[in-house]
Structure formats: structure tokens, C-alpha cells
């Protein structure tokens, strides 16, 4: 089982930026897809962005398109989510997932503990 750990969350004002990191215990990116998801209390986990090591273009959710960028550093086994022009609606716990496909959280097998992002007005 792949072990994932997120970092980089925090509190920022609207319009600010954060970069989230997801360290993996092995190169999960090569054999499957990895993605970023977010969840607020009382709502389902929502896919934000996904990247697959076997090819294909990254998928960015409509709510994040033009503001968020997903990338991967194979030398470090780290996946990133660069978030710019943050909005209060982006406030959520952000999770890294692996072993799935698309942006459907239910398809992912491995999860990190999450990192909180809070965006104030």
C-alpha cells in the first residue's frame, strides 16, 4: 500500500497562493493516477486535479481551471498542487490520493491524512 503525506496547507487571504505537496512512499505515479481532492464537512470529497504517469493530459476540475496547476517530481516522488487566485470557496481539507482514475474519489485506493486550506475574505 502506498503511504501518502500532504503538506503546505495554511491560511491565506483571497487572491493569495499556496503550494501543496504530497510525498509518496513509492513512485505511485508510474503505475497509476494520483490526484488532489478536497472536502468540507457535510459534503462529499471533490476531485480537484489528476495526473497519470502512463500518459494523458492532466485533468483540472472546472472550479480550479486557470488557477490551479498539478505537477509531479519523479526524482522526489512528490506531487504538487499550485493554487493561485485563491477564493474563500476553496477553503477545505485537501487530500492526496493514488491508485484511481479520473476525478472520482471513490475510485482511489490510497489517501493521505490531509492538509487544511483556509481562505479568508
Amino acid at each position: 500500500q502506498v503511504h501518502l503525506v500532504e503538506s503546505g496547507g495554511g491560511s491565506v487571504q483571497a487572491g493569495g497562493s499556496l503550494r501543496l505537496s504530497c510525498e509518496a512512499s513509492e513512485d505511485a505515479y508510474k503505475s497509476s493516477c494520483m490526484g488532489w481532492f478536497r472536502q468540507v464537512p457535510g459534503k462529499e470529497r471533490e476531485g480537484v486535479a489528476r495526473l497519470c504517469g502512463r500518459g494523458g493530459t492532466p485533468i483540472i476540475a472546472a472550479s480550479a481551471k486557470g488557477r490551479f496547476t498539478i505537477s509531479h517530481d519523479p526524482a522526489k516522488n512528490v506531487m504538487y498542487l499550485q493554487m493561485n487566485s485563491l477564493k474563500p470557496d476553496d477553503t477545505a481539507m485537501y487530500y492526496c490520493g493514488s491508485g484511481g482514475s479520473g476525478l472520482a474519489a471513490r475510485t482511489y485506493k490510497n489517501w493521505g491524512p490531509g492538509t487544511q486550506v483556509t481562505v479568508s475574505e
Side-chain angles (χ1 to χ4, degrees):
Q1 185 174 356
V2 177
H3 182 62
L4 304 171
V5 179
E6 305 91 340
S7 62
S11 296
V12 296
Q13 288 190 320
S17 298
L18 284 172
R19 188 177 78 157
L20 305 184
S21 299
C22 172
E23 292 188 55
S25 57
E26 60 186 72
D27 196 355
Y29 173 79
K30 275 185 181 176
S31 59
S32 70
C33 299
M34 295 183 69
W36 285 101
F37 299 79
R38 64 188 183 187
Q39 190 169 22
V40 296
K43 291 192 175 181
E44 291 189 358
R45 194 165 292 189
E46 171 193 19
V48 176
R50 180 226 75 186
L51 198 58
C52 296
R54 292 168 293 180
T57 55
I59 294 178
I60 308 292
S63 60
K65 199 163 288 185
R67 301 186 299 124
F68 294 6
T69 303
I70 187 172
S71 62
H72 177 260
D73 185 340
K76 299 179 180 178
N77 284 349
V78 177
M79 181 177 66
Y80 301 100
L81 184 69
Q82 178 67 43
M83 305 188 296
N84 299 326
S85 302
L86 282 161
K87 306 174 182 179
D89 284 349
D90 295 318
T91 295
M93 184 71 79
Y94 283 71
Y95 297 92
C96 170
S98 74
S101 62
L103 290 176
R106 66 181 181 278
T107 70
Y108 284 72
K109 300 175 184 176
N110 307 302
W111 295 97
T115 185
Q116 177 68 36
V117 171
T118 302
V119 185
S120 58
E121 295 281 359

